[in-house]
Amino acid sequence: MQEIIDAIESHADRATCEALALPDTYRAALIRREDADMFAGVESKDKDPRRSIKIDHVPVPELAHGEALIAVMASSINYTTVWTSIFEPVSTFGFLQRYAKSHPDGARHDLPYHVIGSDAAGVVLRVGPGVNAFAPGDRVVAHCLSVELESPAGHNDTMLDPEQRIWGYETNFGGLAELAIVKSNQLMAKPEHLTWEEAAVPGLVNSTAYRQLVSKNGADMKQGDVVLIWGASGGLGSYATQYALNGGAVPICVVSSPEKAKIARSMGAELIIDRSAEGYAFWKDPQTQDPKEWQRLGKKIRELTGGEDPDIVFEHPGRETFGASVYVARRGGTIVTCASTSGFMHEYDNRYLWMNLKKIIGTHFANYREAFEANRLVAKGVIHPTLSQVFTLDQAGDAAYEVHRNLHQGKVGVLALAPRPGLGVTNPLLRSHVLEKINRFTAK
Ligand code: NAP
């Protein structure tokens, strides 16, 4: 691998990259099929990714039509990494088996191990037949939408393709590794002003937040909208907060500690609710909600906004908060959801939905165009990566543990082939302009 790293660090051209010898195996963070029952009987919060995520050498897979092999300089931890590593809500080996049955190229993915990770920044090493838009030597980031696009159903919005999968979660050969296989239509140019680890972290959450909040396929946010953002300093929320601020909306950022409130403030948010300090208890017991607590949240929001209710509620905690989210949205407002971290079986009082003409919109990752727009805004320096910690590949289990236990802020990065943090910037001038802008802002 050293030859590959040296070539990347010396900005080797296409011919040099094409001529690089590929190793037979590469190091990867993976889970094993034989471990799928290792947490039987253990509570979710106590399932420890440090036990299930292993670092091992695996063979370099064959490239199929439309695919690229990339040298991964850095990757990141997403909640999907946590779900995979604790085998919840289902073991991801079922996804790999289904992929193998559905498509000839899918057969490679059904293995006794699953190389995980749904983000990557790196360099193209090889391309398969049918790839014209990218070539060896290109510095890229990968978004995580893998689609076959053989059905008409996916041609207005590729997220609607029946063979839509999340790379590194529903497919093998993911980004938490020295090498990764992606479809070439997952690739986008790496933002030039970012280091490898900064470039690696936005992909999944930034694209998801873009579709969920900004896109017409999501909440279609407009100037002046009041947006309640749960987990505003976390993966999705820290990008949603930036989109709300950039788009002239008014974010109300919900966080759970003064440190996390500080992060929301440093992004420019002014209206912040510390849910721990407020002590909201939306459930009296596991079966019974407490509408008085929804009302208490609604009152707090009105205090902050001068009497306005949220036009949009940016939902993802799920069962714990969903009843409150439906209640506090304004008449005619939108609750847009992409997840259920605290539980999938939501419960809400439907009277507040229908009598007040509210909408619930389901959303999931992003199509290529949405991911491209989200990455374009990062490349222009108007959306910033929210990277708080960087781990090595060997520490992938520790990194996933941080996210699982909600000990992290923003995003957690993982170095793969990058020998140390801080490398990979090819436009230092843009970097200094962007950093100056951020510093000027945070000094206010
Ligand atoms: P994250 O970095 O862990 O951030 C989530 C934040 O939500 C936490 O930091 C926490 O912030 C808040 N939170 C957690 N549990 C909560 C609860 N019970 N009540 C209120 N707030 C709670 O995770 P993420 O990357 O943003 O992902 C969040 C969820 O979205 C995960 O379930 C993930 O799988 C899902 N997701 C789905 C998609 C998709 O395409 N469908 C894409 C990305 C993520 P505070 O403690 O500060 O309140």
Side-chain angles (χ1 to χ4, degrees), residues 188-239:
M188 307 181 290
K190 172 190 168 289
E192 296 173 341
H193 66 296
L194 299 181
T195 63
W196 292 115
E197 62 280 7
E198 288 167 346
V201 298
L204 187 149
V205 282
N206 182 33
S207 311
T208 306
Y210 181 90
R211 180 181 175 107
Q212 187 169 354
L213 192 56
V214 179
S215 167
K216 288 199 183 339
N217 292 317
D220 196 11
M221 182 193 79
K222 64 180 191 319
Q223 291 182 46
D225 278 350
V226 173
V227 185
L228 182 75
I229 301 173
W230 290 104
S233 77
L236 287 171
S238 55
Y239 292 91

Side-chain angles (χ1 to χ4, degrees), residues 194-319:
L194 299 181
T195 63
W196 292 115
E197 62 280 7
E198 288 167 346
V201 298
L204 187 149
V205 282
N206 182 33
S207 311
T208 306
Y210 181 90
R211 180 181 175 107
Q212 187 169 354
L213 192 56
V214 179
S215 167
K216 288 199 183 339
N217 292 317
D220 196 11
M221 182 193 79
K222 64 180 191 319
Q223 291 182 46
D225 278 350
V226 173
V227 185
L228 182 75
I229 301 173
W230 290 104
S233 77
L236 287 171
S238 55
Y239 292 91
T241 300
Q242 294 185 63
Y243 282 118
L245 290 164
N246 285 357
V250 182
I252 305 169
C253 293
V254 186
V255 294
S256 64
S257 70
E259 296 74 39
K260 291 183 172 187
K262 202 168 151 202
I263 293 173
R265 233 172 256 119
S266 74
M267 290 187 279
E270 289 171 2
L271 309 184
I272 294 167
I273 298 176
D274 181 339
R275 67 182 172 101
S276 300
E278 298 289 337
Y280 295 118
F282 299 128
W283 291 81
K284 290 184 203 169
D285 61 55
Q287 270 72 50
T288 325
Q289 298 210 54
D290 186 352
K292 286 211 167 62
E293 287 293 273
W294 305 346
Q295 288 163 12
R296 195 156 72 83
L297 173 67
K299 192 160 166 263
K300 177 78 188 172
I301 292 168
R302 286 184 179 177
E303 271 167 35
L304 291 172
T305 59
E308 291 182 327
D309 297 326
D311 297 275
I312 299 169
V313 181
F314 186 86
E315 245 295 334
H316 51 89
R319 183 169 174 83

Side-chain angles (χ1 to χ4, degrees), residues 401-420:
Y401 178 81
E402 291 282 309
V403 176
H404 183 31
R405 301 310 292 261
N406 197 17
L407 302 171
H408 69 303
Q409 291 154 359
K411 288 289 302 177
V412 172
V414 175
L415 297 180
L417 286 175
R420 58 185 180 283

